[in-house]
Amino acid sequence: MTAPLNPPPPNDDPWQAPPPPGPGARSGERGERGELRADIRDGVAVLLAVTALGAALGLLWVLLAPRVPLISDGQAVFLRNTEGEAAVGADGVFALLALAFGAVSAAGVFWYRRRGGIVLVVALALGGVLGSVLAWRLGVWLGPTPDVVAHAKAVGEGVAFDAPLKLGAKGMLLAWSLAAMLVHLSLTALFGPRDPEPDPAGPDPFGPAGI
């Protein structure tokens, strides 16, 4: 009689290198890297596009913001209407325009890539802040000259002229981003892609796997 052949003992060497990943793992890693590159590319495009929209916001602010009339007596410059609210109105117009631009930009970004992503959301928020800063500085530059004394001398004594365009409440620079985040979150919750729900019945016990 011959002794039965015993199977070789398992390899329990703790120092042995793990087996190399299979082709499925490598393809999964390449897919994740490709998705990350696509996210970054789309995020940069959104950041640049939203920031560029700040130029349109600045132009509208110059056109729609109420003017603050000043007048000079030859010695000093005064408000022509001390009870006017035009200075506060300029901040309000900027805020309303920024909210509208935030809603429109969020809808455009959602239409551009419906599945969203953290990179896209960060780009949208940062672009809103940069676009607001661009609009603010552009509006001040295109508005009445900030040199009030020279302007008063140029128009003459007793002649009303417009005060420089100013943004008194700098917190308005966040209105665009806040509106964009709210609108984008709402659109994603209502119309974004859904993950497939698991089958509550589970696998068929009489199917091929259950036989």
Side-chain angles (χ1 to χ4, degrees):
M1 297 179 62
T2 59
L5 297 177
N6 296 326
N11 188 1
D12 295 332
D13 185 5
W15 302 104
Q16 184 180 10
R26 288 194 294 268
S27 62
E29 293 177 359
R30 287 195 296 267
E32 292 179 357
R33 288 196 296 267
E35 291 182 0
L36 180 58
R37 286 195 295 268
D39 289 345
I40 295 176
R41 182 179 63 249
D42 292 343
V44 171
V46 167
L47 175 63
L48 295 178
V50 174
T51 302
L53 283 176
L57 174 58
L59 292 175
L60 289 176
W61 186 42
V62 172
L63 294 175
L64 300 178
R67 297 291 189 250
V68 179
L70 302 177
I71 194 169
S72 173
D73 62 356
Q75 301 294 328
V77 178
F78 307 94
L79 288 172
R80 185 177 183 181
N81 183 7
T82 57
E83 297 181 357
E85 299 179 354
V88 180
D91 289 1
V93 169
F94 187 94
L96 292 176
L97 289 173
L99 292 174
F101 271 73
V104 172
S105 61
V109 169
F110 180 77
W111 176 81
Y112 172 67
R113 204 177 81 164
R114 189 177 294 261
R115 69 184 181 89
I118 185 63
V119 176
L120 207 68
V121 173
V122 171
L124 180 60
L126 183 58
V129 174
L130 295 178
S132 297
V133 173
L134 175 61
W136 167 42
R137 301 311 302 168
L138 182 63
V140 172
W141 180 63
L142 294 177
T145 175
D147 192 347
V148 177
V149 175
H151 198 176
K153 291 180 179 179
V155 300
E157 181 180 346
V159 179
F161 60 97
D162 293 334
L165 189 59
K166 294 181 179 180
L167 186 64
K170 299 302 187 293
M172 302 300 180
L173 297 174
L174 301 177
W176 185 332
S177 296
L178 294 177
M181 293 297 96
L182 181 60
V183 173
H184 191 273
L185 179 62
S186 301
L187 292 175
T188 303
L190 292 174
F191 307 107
R194 300 291 190 272
D195 294 332
E197 296 182 359
D199 186 5
D204 186 3
F206 301 102
I211 298 177

